[in-house]
Amino acid sequence: MRAYLDFAAAHPRVYEAMFSLPSGLAFAADDTPAPLRRAFAGIRDAFPDADGTRAEVAWSALHGLATLQASGRLRAGQARARLEHAHRLLTREMP
């Protein structure tokens, strides 16, 4: 999680291009390219469940944090606290 947010902070334009510019790439589909599948596998491995939903939520949370931090819409100095809280939420046992 930290590596994802660190990358987004260190390379804001690359991160923005990865997720904001039209790419024509299929995500979460049968024809998703292998490099994208491998990248998402890292998140899925960290947040395993039966169908990948937990990984999708984790990625969504990380993307939201990265995007909101980059735009200055979150309080300065709280990045670590937000990351720790997200980690606790995402790794606790689900019913």
Side-chain angles (χ1 to χ4, degrees):
M1 292 176 71
R2 187 180 327 274
Y4 187 98
L5 294 176
D6 287 349
F7 176 86
H11 308 283
R13 297 300 162 238
V14 173
Y15 185 85
E16 181 181 18
M18 290 168 59
F19 295 108
S20 297
L21 297 177
S23 68
L25 297 172
F27 285 78
D30 292 338
D31 59 341
T32 299
L36 293 179
R37 287 183 184 273
R38 283 193 303 274
F40 187 71
I43 295 174
R44 193 169 184 173
D45 290 348
F47 300 99
D49 66 358
D51 65 359
T53 300
R54 185 180 277 196
E56 289 176 340
V57 170
W59 183 32
S60 299
L62 287 170
H63 180 68
L65 286 172
T67 302
L68 292 170
Q69 284 174 185
S71 66
R73 293 188 171 117
L74 298 175
R75 293 175 294 145
Q78 297 300 311
R80 182 182 177 114
R82 284 188 293 272
L83 178 62
E84 290 172 357
H85 186 69
H87 184 264
R88 281 192 304 276
L89 289 172
L90 292 165
T91 58
R92 73 178 189 202
E93 190 60 36
M94 302 303 286

